[in-house]
Amino acid sequence: MKKTKPQWRGLIGAGVVMCAVLGGGIYLINSLGADAEGGDENPLAPIARAFGLSPKDYSPPPLTSPIPDYRQPAAAGEASGDSPSLAGVLDKVDLGGMIKSKEEIRRGAQESVGAILGVAQVIDGDTIDVAGQRIRLYGIDAPELGQNCIHSTGEWDCGRRSALWLQQLITTNELSCISKGNDRYGRIVATCTMGDLDIAAEMVSNGWALAYRSITKTYAITEGKAKRERLGLWDSKFANPWDFRQEG
């Protein structure tokens, strides 16, 4: 007669499986259950409560204040804390004052280096008064006021004409003069400009003053061109201004 296996082994195996299934089900119910208040209740919540479990609420906490919509403009007078709005800050900025013309920028730069600025009064072909200061134009020498030149047609007052030409050049425009020191007469020796125009260079290039080579050769080439073209003084015979002063 055939022997049968003990039945108790099968019962133990079935019990283990049932316990595993029951434990897994309870774990899932506890994980997926809704809040104990019953709001938006999960279908498994009643089962969870039947087993004495506390359902979990995975919903985020309620908002205490609405989130502002960045796509909508802020209401008038609405402020974020104590920080001023960008529009309010820009309203207080003088944009016009921040935009400067070329002349304003140039004048500011000249003032920063101590330039003498003002409308000039002409004394002679190489001397002017600016802002109450006597200035000798650097690097040139013009005929003295009482000096004459000899043209083929006769004698003429080239010293006075040189001063008149300088006056016509600068008229009532503002000059900027950068000092290079003082001469033996106490005058300021300076390079003077009218905008981008070098006043001394203009006098030499048009033949109304000579390059003062004993001081600088800056205008020597410019003088050579005016002499070849017989401009201004170079259409006549004359004594060099420094020689004329020695004779006087």
Side-chain angles (χ1 to χ4, degrees):
M1 186 173 178
K2 193 174 186 180
K3 293 183 178 181
T4 60
K5 294 181 178 179
Q7 297 296 323
W8 59 269
R9 293 182 180 179
L11 292 174
I12 293 174
V16 171
V17 172
M18 290 182 64
C19 288
V21 172
L22 183 59
I26 292 173
Y27 175 77
L28 291 175
I29 291 170
N30 189 47
S31 299
L32 299 175
D35 58 10
E37 301 297 328
D40 295 331
E41 191 170 67
N42 190 293
L44 297 178
I47 301 174
R49 284 195 292 273
F51 281 90
L53 302 174
S54 298
K56 291 185 178 181
D57 181 9
Y58 290 98
S59 63
L63 296 174
T64 58
S65 61
I67 299 175
D69 187 350
Y70 69 90
R71 295 168 296 180
Q72 300 297 326
E78 181 180 347
S80 175
D82 296 330
S83 300
S85 65
L86 178 59
V89 172
L90 291 178
D91 286 341
K92 298 178 181 180
V93 176
D94 182 12
L95 296 178
M98 297 173 63
I99 302 174
K100 295 184 178 181
S101 66
K102 180 181 178 182
E103 291 304 319
E104 289 174 327
I105 295 173
R106 188 205 308 276
R107 183 182 178 88
Q110 291 167 342
E111 289 177 339
S112 68
V113 296
I116 303 168
L117 303 173
V119 176
Q121 178 184 355
V122 173
I123 305 304
D124 58 30
D126 53 34
T127 310
I128 57 178
D129 277 349
V130 178
Q133 301 192 65
R134 183 63 55 89
I135 295 175
R136 178 73 156 78
L137 295 176
Y138 173 74
I140 68 171
D141 201 359
E144 299 298 316
L145 282 178
Q147 186 173 346
N148 291 330
C149 298
I150 308 297
H151 188 262
S152 58
T153 59
E155 191 174 75
W156 60 289
D157 53 348
C158 55
R160 181 172 174 274
R161 298 291 182 89
S162 173
L164 289 174
W165 197 91
L166 176 57
Q167 182 62 66
Q168 183 180 2
L169 173 65
I170 61 177
T171 61
T172 58
N173 294 304
E174 183 179 75
L175 302 188
S176 171
C177 299
I178 304 295
S179 174
K180 290 182 174 293
N182 296 79
D183 64 10
R184 58 180 178 174
Y185 302 108
R187 298 175 298 186
I188 298 172
V189 179
T191 298
C192 296
T193 56
M194 182 174 64
D196 294 324
L197 201 66
D198 182 338
I199 301 302
E202 287 298 301
M203 289 294 290
V204 175
S205 66
N206 286 277
W208 294 106
L210 280 66
Y212 209 164
R213 287 178 172 81
S214 63
I215 303 298
T216 178
K217 294 182 172 58
T218 301
Y219 304 111
I221 295 176
T222 303
E223 180 192 274
K225 185 174 182 295
K227 186 175 182 178
R228 289 191 300 272
E229 296 177 3
R230 302 180 66 84
L231 299 177
L233 305 174
W234 299 108
D235 192 36
S236 302
K237 294 181 180 180
F238 59 90
N240 292 326
W242 49 87
D243 294 330
F244 180 81
R245 287 192 295 272
Q246 290 292 333
E247 294 173 1

